[in-house]
Amino acid sequence: MIFVNDTHNPALKSFVDSANSGSTDFPIQNLPFAVFRRAGSKEDFRCGVAIGDQVLDLTALGKMHLLSGDAAQAVQTCSDSSLNRLMSLGAPAWSALRASLSRLLSIDSPHEGVLRGCLVPQADVEYDLPARIGDYTDFYASVHHATNVGKLFRPDQPLLPNYKWVPIGYHGRSSSIGVAGQSLKRPVGQVCGAGQTVPVTQASRRLDFELEMGLFIGSSNALGTSVSVDQAFDNIFGMCLLNDWSARDIQGWEYQPLGPFLSKNFGTTISPWVVTSEALAPFRAPFVRDAADPQPLPYLTSDRNSQRGSVNIALELSLETQAMRDAGVAPQVLCNGNFKDAAYWTPQQLVAHHTVNGCNLQSGDLLGTGTLSGPTPDSLGSLLEMTEGGKKSIAMSNGQMRTFLEDGDAIVIRAFCQSDSAVRIGFGECRGTILPATT
Ligand code: MN
């Protein structure tokens, strides 16, 4: 089980100056993983760790044989073009590698000279997906989001009776998950307007984003076995940022009776950097369930989950229109939230629920949390909620108005963890841009 250790020591500094700035997402206390290569090169993609504004090339590090034991075994898996093999090694190996990387990158590292040769500026790299994602599940873990959306469709009964008992989810599509920086086409589909009985096929006019986080499964469980809430702390490799692009007009026509399908599976964007569960340890927060609500069933409950099951992660989502980009205007923040205020279920409860029936989660599987809307108007995670179903427009700083996304709009998600007793860590950026439909 992962607790706070030497790698989280706020006094630690790195020989990489940019890691010590206080404002970087990637101080030595973070050490998130990604898959990268030099931009525009024909190099093989391989695994790297962020330190300040640099990427530590783990293939190059592995060739130097500076590590021993579990860490040496772990770094050898990092020459792969995905993190799957590292993820499959399990928490003790991840922890051993992290401890070694922390020492090697520290300001008094005996190997600074050779390690400088393994650094690549982040400004010069391109990323691939961090893992080969075999399966992707998207949950619906914010009670505020579920209530807001429910109100639009069912004013009399916004929250269905199962919501407070079952972590609701559906199986998404992994092939259309892309890494941040991507552009994706506005989807075309069947739409049936209010009062109409015959649908038409057209480009979506109600294209939306969903501010979410992703959980990467590290250790797998065999078919027929389940993962307890306490085991799940160690099974989750880490977390990333996730944008679940959603075509609300296609969704409204297709979602009954089996849930979302083509309104969601045309694209999902995730951040390149995966912040490990161990890096998040200092930012763990209590899981609090209102006394008026049903308490979770025993398989969704543990003392550890109650004490430290949630995570204090500040979330920020911004929109940048094409005109703003052309004029050099900064993206406009539309949402400021926090994971712990939005999520009705913890990451561990999502894993325990997903496997209670014996479903086999595998290394590299991705679980989306669902739209992380908070309780306040400035912490809503979708345009559907911000515009009350498209009834209210949002004014942008340059005078443009938005109800849903227009071609050329980019959505940028950022997140960070902060506390008095730890160094601030961040998740980098998850950016995606909408291209015109091909009709
Ligand atoms: Mn979603």
Side-chain angles (χ1 to χ4, degrees), residues 138-139 170 210 212 244 246 264 370-371:
D138 198 21
F139 281 94
Y170 68 95
E210 290 189 342
E212 305 196 15
D244 177 21
S246 300
K264 302 274 195 176
T371 310

Side-chain angles (χ1 to χ4, degrees), residues 63-77:
K63 287 178 181 158
M64 295 185 174
H65 302 288
L66 297 175
L67 308 183
S68 58
D70 282 355
Q73 188 199 354
V75 82
Q76 293 310 320
T77 68

Side-chain angles (χ1 to χ4, degrees), residues 55-361:
V55 182
L56 178 69
D57 181 338
L58 295 177
T59 299
L61 175 65
K63 287 178 181 158
M64 295 185 174
H65 302 288
L66 297 175
L67 308 183
S68 58
D70 282 355
Q73 188 199 354
V75 82
Q76 293 310 320
T77 68
C78 294
S79 310
D80 291 3
S81 60
S82 77
L83 289 163
N84 293 64
R85 206 150 54 98
L86 176 65
M87 289 169 164
S88 73
L89 292 180
W94 314 331
S95 198
L97 180 57
R98 175 180 165 87
S100 294
L101 293 173
S102 177
R103 286 192 294 271
L104 285 173
L105 290 167
S106 75
I107 200 158
D108 30 59
S109 172
H111 302 292
E112 174 181 341
V114 285
L115 287 168
R116 283 197 181 276
C118 303
L119 297 174
V120 184
Q122 283 165 28
D124 297 345
V125 309
E126 60 187 3
Y127 299 101
D128 201 350
L129 287 172
R132 288 188 315 280
I133 301 166
D135 275 302
Y136 163 49
T137 300
D138 198 21
F139 281 94
Y140 201 50
S142 161
V143 68
H144 309 292
H145 174 70
T147 304
N148 295 337
V149 172
K151 265 182 201 158
L152 295 171
F153 294 105
R154 297 175 304 274
D156 302 340
Q157 191 189 26
L159 215 53
L160 293 171
N162 60 357
Y163 186 85
K164 291 188 172 178
W165 296 97
V166 185
I168 302 292
Y170 68 95
H171 288 294
R173 184 164 187 85
S174 50
S175 69
S176 52
I177 300 171
V179 74
Q182 74 169 163
S183 298
L184 70 172
K185 278 194 284 191
R186 177 180 299 274
V188 169
Q190 278 200 30
V191 171
C192 194
Q196 304 293 306
T197 51
V198 178
V200 295
T201 311
Q202 65 183 31
S204 172
R205 295 174 185 172
R206 288 162 70 88
L207 185 56
D208 200 355
F209 53 78
E210 290 189 342
L211 164 57
E212 305 196 15
M213 297 205 68
L215 315 173
F216 271 105
I217 299 301
S219 307
S220 54
N221 63 292
L223 185 63
T225 67
S226 57
V227 177
S228 72
V229 169
D230 278 351
Q231 287 168 337
F233 278 92
D234 283 348
N235 279 36
I236 299 170
F237 177 79
M239 297 179 74
C240 66
L241 309 173
L242 187 153
N243 182 350
D244 177 21
W245 303 98
S246 300
R248 301 302 181 191
D249 39 6
I250 298 172
Q251 187 178 358
W253 174 236
E254 75 173 5
Y255 87 103
Q256 300 205 66
L258 287 183
F261 180 36
L262 301 179
S263 55
K264 302 274 195 176
N265 70 6
F266 62 93
T268 305
T269 306
I270 63 172
S271 60
W273 293 108
V274 183
V275 174
T276 63
S277 295
E278 189 169 356
L280 294 170
F283 308 100
R284 285 282 179 177
F287 162 73
V288 183
R289 178 55 51 84
D290 196 304
D293 281 358
Q295 298 305 299
L297 291 174
Y299 81 93
L300 293 171
T301 304
S302 82
D303 288 346
R304 188 172 175 212
N305 190 63
S306 300
Q307 288 154 16
R308 343 179 343 108
S310 193
V311 199
N312 181 352
I313 305 174
L315 306 166
E316 181 195 277
L317 181 139
S318 310
L319 191 158
E320 177 192 75
T321 69
Q322 180 75 55
M324 291 164 76
R325 190 154 56 248
D326 292 347
V329 176
Q332 180 161 330
V333 176
L334 298 184
C335 171
N336 270 308
N338 193 297
F339 177 86
K340 70 174 166 44
D341 302 330
Y344 196 74
W345 305 102
T346 67
Q348 302 75 238
Q349 287 171 320
L350 299 182
V351 170
H353 181 66
H354 206 311
T355 60
V356 69
N357 66 344
C359 176
N360 51 331
L361 294 180

